[in-house]
Amino acid sequence: MAAGPAPLQAGEFSGRAEFQQALRLAVAQACAQDSVELGAFDPDFSLWPWSEAGLLDQLSGWARAQPAGRRLRLLAPQFDGMRRAHPRFVAWRGRYGHCVQARAFEPEAMAAVGPGGPVALFWARSESACVTVRLLSTRNWRGSVSFDAAELVRWAEWFDAIAQHSYESFAATTLGL
């Protein structure tokens, strides 16, 4: 019998594959722990594992579970890269649009948080646990994973400060003639 992936561990990582694996495990953990809110920030999400079948299955179970009011909050300057790279996620978003909030922001919004933020961020909180995955550099794909509540609060507030200067984007459905 093959062993499953190693559980998500707190600490630093280096490498694109390790970043993507940290995201997979963080999403799996957030869904398993019935997190009510998930947040994700990236310049375009094209390198995230959003269209992988296993991740979408986990998100589907999370979106269908009670209680209502669960939210996946996506924040990016634009979503063109996500649309091109993740057609399965785009379709999933159409089915589960009730729990996905996608917002775009102009570069000036970053002034609200100042320098020193992550290049990419995933965070999730439930009643009993939290997780934060931060990517600090895409040059060597350096980042960290944390289960510390204070760190989650810091980066969720950073995320919210940008979100306050954002607008609805990446519609669940598109209307056309």
Side-chain angles (χ1 to χ4, degrees), residues 39-175:
F41 168 89
D42 192 87
D44 71 1
F45 293 110
S46 63
L47 298 175
W48 287 46
W50 289 122
S51 277
E52 293 180 2
L55 189 133
L56 290 174
D57 287 345
Q58 292 164 342
L59 285 173
S60 295
W62 169 83
R64 286 189 302 261
Q66 296 298 326
R70 294 172 182 234
R71 273 193 317 174
L72 168 59
R73 298 172 60 196
L74 304 172
L75 188 59
Q78 50 83 25
F79 290 92
D80 295 341
M82 180 179 254
R83 284 185 185 96
R84 283 191 300 274
H86 300 296
R88 288 172 141 178
F89 182 82
V90 172
W92 180 89
R93 196 240 186 290
R95 285 189 299 277
Y96 295 100
H98 64 279
C99 64
V100 179
Q101 179 187 57
R103 298 187 66 86
F105 62 90
E106 300 298 329
E108 298 81 33
M110 295 303 290
V113 293
V119 175
L121 174 69
F122 174 83
W123 56 269
R125 66 175 128 220
S126 70
E127 288 185 20
S128 60
C130 63
V131 63
T132 306
V133 177
R134 291 183 306 138
L135 180 65
L136 304 173
S137 167
T138 54
R139 189 169 59 93
N140 56 10
W141 293 87
R142 238 179 6 93
S144 67
V145 174
S146 173
F147 302 112
D148 181 60
E151 187 161 331
L152 176 119
V153 168
R154 175 184 180 195
W155 295 112
E157 287 176 353
W158 179 88
F159 182 97
D160 286 339
I162 299 168
Q164 289 173 12
H165 301 276
S166 67
Y167 52 90
E168 289 291 327
S169 183
F170 186 35
T173 58
T174 55
L175 301 175

Side-chain angles (χ1 to χ4, degrees), residues 4-13 18-30 33 122-124 130-134 144-147:
L8 185 61
Q9 300 290 320
E12 296 183 358
F13 59 82
E18 287 188 33
F19 168 63
Q20 291 172 328
Q21 184 64 7
L23 290 172
R24 285 182 197 98
L25 294 173
V27 169
Q29 179 177 312
Q33 293 174 338
F122 174 83
W123 56 269
C130 63
V131 63
T132 306
V133 177
R134 291 183 306 138
S144 67
V145 174
S146 173
F147 302 112

